Amino acid sequence: MTDIGDENNDFWLFGYGSLIWKPPPHYDIRVPGYVEGYVRRFWQASEDHRGTPEAPGRVATLIDRAHWETLTDHHSSLPSEKVWGAAYHIPAPQVATVRAYLDIREINGYSIQYAPFHPASSSSPSQTTAITTLIYIGLPSNPQFLGPQDPQLLAAHILKSRGPSGENKEYLYMLETALLELSPESEDGHVSDLARRCRALEGGKGNGGDELRKVGRTGEAEEVEK
């Protein structure tokens, strides 16, 4: 297989949501690691996979850290400087097929961005060079971006949501597990706290909660999440 640092192999995809546990087709290398300059939050509505147009679910997106700092985030934990996930290398003959697949999988409000990816320190010596990866991100300008959410109401909403790809809570729990398996330092406080709140609500406290709305903004079917 091709080394991560080979400049001739320029199609790399970074997954920070469902792509961590549900990889794209035709990849030949998977590398755990992280990108910087972003914050992961469950602030993207899902109308086609973990919810419906009438009752959208909630899935992860990345927010530019500079923009996130202008918002009032109701989640108390300060996000890490690193957003952990997995990078996938797609062989040249399969790039067109995989790009078409991803454009359908990520169609619900996500746009293409590029960012340097840093392989985990546990990667092999040939897999330590930072590379440019393609990322699907739900930008604040997209209609599915909800902005800051109250964590408890967000957890309650996730518990009661489901769509063609299954229950919204399944996505949350699988993301938490997948992140914990990447590296000793890859836990995401926002994801783990939401999972803890959901489990507490499932334990007998009920899952009631008002419908969440867009706040705080400044100026399967295949999984929809990254």
Side-chain angles (χ1 to χ4, degrees), residues 186-202:
S186 57
E187 180 179 8
D188 185 304
H190 174 73
V191 174
S192 292
D193 182 65
L194 281 178
R196 178 189 60 78
R197 291 173 186 270
C198 282
R199 291 189 182 101
L201 289 170
E202 284 190 296

Side-chain angles (χ1 to χ4, degrees), residues 95-173:
V95 168
T97 298
V98 174
R99 284 294 298 269
Y101 162 84
L102 291 169
D103 286 345
I104 294 173
R105 177 168 171 168
E106 313 295 341
I107 197 171
N108 194 214
Y110 290 95
S111 301
I112 291 175
Q113 302 285 299
Y114 294 89
F117 169 82
H118 304 273
S121 58
S122 59
S123 300
S124 66
S126 64
Q127 297 175 336
T128 57
T129 304
I131 57 170
T132 299
T133 54
L134 181 152
I135 314 175
Y136 284 87
I137 295 176
L139 298 173
S141 58
N142 95 86
Q144 306 302 323
F145 184 77
L146 300 171
Q149 308 282 281
D150 177 274
Q152 192 65 15
L153 291 180
L154 177 53
H157 189 92
I158 289 172
L159 269 185
K160 68 182 181 181
S161 298
R162 67 175 296 119
S165 293
E167 293 182 301
N168 203 168
K169 68 177 181 180
E170 176 189 44
Y171 170 87
L172 171 62
Y173 294 156

